[in-house]
Amino acid sequence: MSGHQCTENPPHLDPNSGSGHVEKLGNLDTYVSGSTHSKLGVLLVSHVFGYETPNLRKLADKVAEAGFYAVVPDFFHGDPYNPENKDRPLLIWAKDHGQEKGFEDSKPIVEALKNKGITSIGAAGFCWGAKVAVELAKQKLVDATVLLHPSRVTVDDIKEVNIPIAVLGAEIDQVSPPELVRQFEDILASKPEVKSFVKIFPRVKHGWTVRYNENDPSEVEAAEEAHKDMLAWLIDYVK
């Protein structure tokens, strides 16, 4: 998350975006989408720009349309990274919003989903959120996970995962470069008992799945391909 790629193409946040609504879940304001009667939940953990990112909410709606109860919590408590605040660059902001705290905040979310009658939960983490998602996987607090252009996820993290995991990386990524993602792939390949899927998308940059330019057909196509892969993984292993 230390690289500038984490902050490129900042989204225009919109608290009214998406077809779902915001409610309290596990003490966090949370965007929710999907049927409350679903027994299958998906926790989407955002990048540093937070849960009001329109493309992220649109993706949550897509997950909901597949039959899941999709939730996007505000892990930053109303304080997402703001690139216009020059007095608080990313590394300073991150001191108040560590991924370790994000993981701790995610535990009540998981419990709240279970209290709603949800019996199987998947996690998808984007950049900052991928570290939270991999911690959930390591502790087996979810049934499957997807890491999308992860930040600060290490080889040791991947070694500790023993649930179905997919990693979607970018060819142009200084945060988790292809060489690191291939290391993840090698580790997972050495554990055939763990279902895994690793893919490096050509010609795209870190953050492409939620910070794409809607007016660029090639960017939209690459993002939608990743969304399709993510959703297929969740459908296969959250059931």
Side-chain angles (χ1 to χ4, degrees), residues 31 80 165 187 204 207 212:
Y31 177 79
I165 178 171
I187 291 164
V204 298
Y212 54 89

Side-chain angles (χ1 to χ4, degrees), residues 120-170:
S120 185
I121 301 171
F126 304 80
C127 188
W128 182 96
K131 183 71 170 183
V132 176
V134 82
E135 290 296 333
L136 286 164
K138 286 159 59 177
Q139 300 292 333
K140 295 188 176 179
L141 296 176
V142 294
D143 299 292
T145 195
V146 184
L147 312 181
L148 302 97
H149 36 87
S151 166
R152 294 186 60 204
V153 173
T154 67
V155 164
D156 286 338
D157 286 329
I158 299 299
K159 286 178 179 177
E160 291 185 45
V161 174
N162 289 299
I163 65 165
I165 178 171
V167 183
L168 307 182

Side-chain angles (χ1 to χ4, degrees), residues 8-238:
E8 287 180 348
N9 302 322
H12 296 288
L13 303 184
D14 182 358
N16 299 311
S17 57
S19 59
H21 67 277
V22 173
E23 64 179 58
K24 284 286 186 184
L25 191 70
N27 297 320
L28 296 182
D29 288 337
T30 301
Y31 177 79
V32 301
S33 186
S35 172
T36 55
H37 300 295
S38 177
K39 298 295 184 185
L40 309 176
V42 173
L43 165 59
L44 294 96
V45 191
S46 75
H47 56 172
V48 296
F49 296 103
Y51 86 132
E52 293 181 353
T53 300
N55 285 344
L56 182 57
R57 290 190 174 187
K58 187 188 300 184
L59 180 53
D61 292 340
K62 193 182 296 186
V63 171
E65 288 169 8
F68 297 99
Y69 186 69
V71 301
V72 191
D74 177 15
F75 285 105
F76 307 134
H77 303 272
D79 182 38
Y81 173 69
N82 177 6
E84 295 181 1
N85 184 353
K86 302 304 181 186
D87 294 329
R88 204 164 173 231
L90 182 64
L91 291 179
I92 300 299
W93 174 90
K95 290 180 180 179
D96 295 324
H97 300 290
Q99 291 155 309
E100 298 81 6
K101 183 177 185 301
F103 170 56
E104 292 303 319
D105 285 347
S106 72
K107 294 177 183 178
I109 298 289
V110 171
E111 284 305 308
L113 290 174
K114 291 178 179 178
N115 290 338
K116 287 180 176 287
I118 289 170
T119 57
S120 185
I121 301 171
F126 304 80
C127 188
W128 182 96
K131 183 71 170 183
V132 176
V134 82
E135 290 296 333
L136 286 164
K138 286 159 59 177
Q139 300 292 333
K140 295 188 176 179
L141 296 176
V142 294
D143 299 292
T145 195
V146 184
L147 312 181
L148 302 97
H149 36 87
S151 166
R152 294 186 60 204
V153 173
T154 67
V155 164
D156 286 338
D157 286 329
I158 299 299
K159 286 178 179 177
E160 291 185 45
V161 174
N162 289 299
I163 65 165
I165 178 171
V167 183
L168 307 182
E171 180 182 25
I172 308 164
D173 194 330
Q174 298 156 1
V175 184
S176 288
E179 296 77 17
L180 179 61
V181 176
R182 291 191 188 98
Q183 282 184 272
F184 295 167
E185 185 174 31
D186 290 343
I187 291 164
L188 292 167
S190 73
K191 302 196 296 184
E193 71 281 3
V194 177
K195 301 295 184 184
S196 64
F197 174 74
V198 179
K199 183 174 179 178
I200 297 172
F201 286 69
R203 300 180 301 281
V204 298
K205 294 182 179 180
H206 179 85
W208 90 97
T209 68
V210 284
R211 297 206 303 275
Y212 54 89
N213 179 354
E214 291 185 347
N215 297 315
D216 185 327
S218 64
E219 287 195 21
V220 171
E221 182 181 359
E224 289 182 345
E225 182 182 345
H227 299 165
K228 183 178 177 181
D229 289 341
M230 180 194 86
L231 195 52
W233 192 257
L234 295 170
I235 289 170
D236 280 347
Y237 294 106
V238 181

